[in-house]
Amino acid sequence: MCGAPADRLGCWLCANAEGPADRQSVTKGGALRLALASLILWFAASPAAAHRTSLAHVTVEGGAATQVILHLSAHDLGVALGLNADPATPVPFSGIEAARARIALYLDERLALRAGEQICTPGGLNIEETRPGEELSIRRTFACPSGSDDLVLTYRLFFEIDGAHRAIVEAGGRQAVIDRDFTTVRLVDVGVASPSFSRLLALGVEHILLGIDHVLFLVVLMLGLPRIGPAIVMVSAFTLAHSITLALAWYGLIALPPKLVETVIALSIAYVAAENLLGRGIEHRWLVAGLFGLIHGLGFYSVLADLGFEGTGAVTVLLGFNLGVEIGQLMILAAAAPLLWWTSRRSWRTPAIRTASAACLLLALWWAAERVLT
């Protein structure tokens, strides 16, 4: 009977079953459908712009007293200080001002300036709201020993809440990128050394694995494929397509508004999920992956554009980052391959795919609406 809520849930999970004789398969199929739906709901807990890299800008200015100006997300600071639990929730400036002492302590623990071997003493702190509820400018004054131009900046903000956080440091018109593995930079060297190939490779792997919308797009594409061979062709088409638009955007030959790109990326997930629900388009999945891969490539470019790698050789950046993305995609494919093989001959495979695809469709439409409205 399907009267009580729990019974209705059980009936929903067992829908499209092959019959009472296959009760064990139905139970397994229902459990897998529930697990797949739960996984999709976990994706929903992430912000709509999930593939963006958390980013801060740091400007160092000399003079009588050295100024370190931080342009950062009010969301990130709010989460780090416990002012808000949701990184997508606007943080009132009144709450930031009330937490001034805690902000100073947080900076003392994670932001340092050194002149040679001597520590510069942190002084005044000025906080301004540059975009209400969204962005802040924090100016910190440091007293450094006179006559020393060998300044070394250490930056460790927000890595405890976001391992993918990045900071662009600018000094004397040149830039360097700080991440969790590279937290200290000599300002005289800023802009001199290009990012290593291994760092670009790691950035590509990290971006595809942490970019929830890119991962979900690949997962939904693979849900409808019965064998691993077509999945490999599909991933290759996706790689070729996003490599083309990433290169075109890098050279300034194509440009679209970021909000439009992010919205279409969400709609690409919705489109493929709808195909899975209708049982169509499987034979042309490589073409779908290629067409939407062109848009995903512009999303990848936004990461490189934010990180200020334009001064680095194009071949190094594009090859390193793209190769990293491809490695990340193959890791996702390798993780999904055993499941594809195991479910290929199960009687409950079709209803399980439809359940997961329905959840993906709803989530993707929610993401698209959020990206349009925010």
Side-chain angles (χ1 to χ4, degrees):
M1 301 296 292
C2 297
D7 294 331
R8 288 199 297 271
L9 175 62
C11 290
W12 175 78
L13 290 173
C14 294
N16 299 311
E18 296 299 314
D22 198 18
R23 187 172 301 275
Q24 184 177 11
S25 294
V26 169
T27 302
K28 290 179 180 179
L32 181 63
R33 292 165 69 187
L34 180 59
L36 289 172
S38 300
L39 180 62
I40 303 305
L41 291 176
W42 175 82
F43 279 112
S46 301
H51 74 279
R52 282 181 170 178
T53 299
S54 172
L55 192 65
H57 289 80
V58 184
T59 304
V60 182
E61 298 178 351
T66 301
Q67 304 283 325
V68 177
I69 303 107
L70 305 171
H71 299 280
L72 47 82
S73 165
H75 307 299
D76 290 345
L77 187 61
V79 173
L81 297 179
L83 302 179
N84 66 309
D86 183 359
T89 302
V91 183
F93 190 57
S94 57
I96 295 293
E97 289 182 312
R100 178 179 293 269
R102 293 171 59 192
I103 293 173
L105 179 60
Y106 183 78
L107 294 180
D108 287 343
E109 293 173 345
R110 294 169 174 82
L111 183 70
L113 194 64
R114 192 175 73 245
E117 298 301 321
Q118 298 184 353
I119 301 296
C120 299
T121 305
L125 182 67
N126 181 63
I127 305 175
E128 296 179 358
E129 190 175 41
T130 54
R131 202 168 74 182
E134 301 288 338
E135 293 179 356
L136 300 170
S137 174
I138 300 179
R139 182 181 293 265
R140 194 73 191 269
T141 302
F142 287 85
C144 298
S146 59
S148 176
D149 294 327
D150 186 17
L151 297 179
V152 179
L153 178 74
T154 298
Y155 176 101
R156 296 193 179 95
L157 276 65
F158 306 136
F159 294 126
E160 73 277 10
I161 64 170
D162 183 4
H165 177 70
R166 299 286 191 277
I168 298 178
V169 179
E170 183 172 347
R174 297 178 299 178
Q175 293 181 337
V177 178
I178 282 181
D179 57 32
R180 62 184 174 185
D181 298 319
F182 185 75
T183 60
T184 300
V185 58
R186 293 180 71 239
L187 298 185
V188 294
D189 294 335
V190 167
V192 175
S194 299
S196 67
F197 187 82
S198 60
R199 285 190 70 201
L200 290 165
L201 193 72
L203 180 62
V205 174
E206 180 182 273
H207 182 65
I208 192 66
L209 294 182
L210 297 181
I212 295 177
D213 42 9
H214 298 304
V215 172
L216 194 55
F217 179 66
L218 291 173
V219 168
V220 177
L221 282 168
M222 288 187 287
L223 278 177
L225 298 177
R227 298 181 307 279
I228 194 64
I232 295 175
V233 174
M234 179 266 299
V235 169
S236 299
F238 181 70
T239 299
L240 177 61
H242 74 64
S243 299
I244 291 172
T245 48
L246 175 58
L248 291 175
W250 180 267
Y251 287 108
L253 300 177
I254 184 173
L256 291 176
K259 180 179 286 190
L260 175 62
V261 171
E262 293 170 9
T263 302
V264 176
I265 287 175
L267 291 176
S268 71
I269 302 170
Y271 178 85
V272 179
E275 279 195 340
N276 289 343
L277 282 171
L278 298 174
R280 298 176 181 174
I282 305 302
E283 65 277 10
H284 303 303
R285 186 125 297 183
W286 65 272
L287 181 59
V288 173
L291 291 175
F292 282 119
L294 296 172
I295 294 295
H296 283 252
L298 297 178
F300 292 147
Y301 169 72
S302 67
V303 176
L304 297 181
D306 283 344
L307 293 178
F309 287 155
E310 283 83 356
T312 306
V315 174
T316 300
V317 172
L318 297 178
L319 181 60
F321 185 79
N322 267 320
L323 186 57
V325 169
E326 178 68 5
I327 292 173
Q329 290 173 170
L330 292 175
M331 292 170 65
I332 296 170
L333 182 60
L339 185 61
L340 286 174
W341 175 81
W342 184 66
T343 60
S344 61
R345 298 182 180 275
R346 297 299 187 271
S347 60
W348 40 260
R349 177 179 181 272
T350 297
I353 289 175
R354 288 175 178 169
T355 300
S357 296
C360 289
L361 176 61
L362 293 175
L363 175 57
L365 292 176
W366 173 263
W367 274 351
E370 258 194 322
R371 293 174 182 185
V372 168
L373 298 175
T374 57

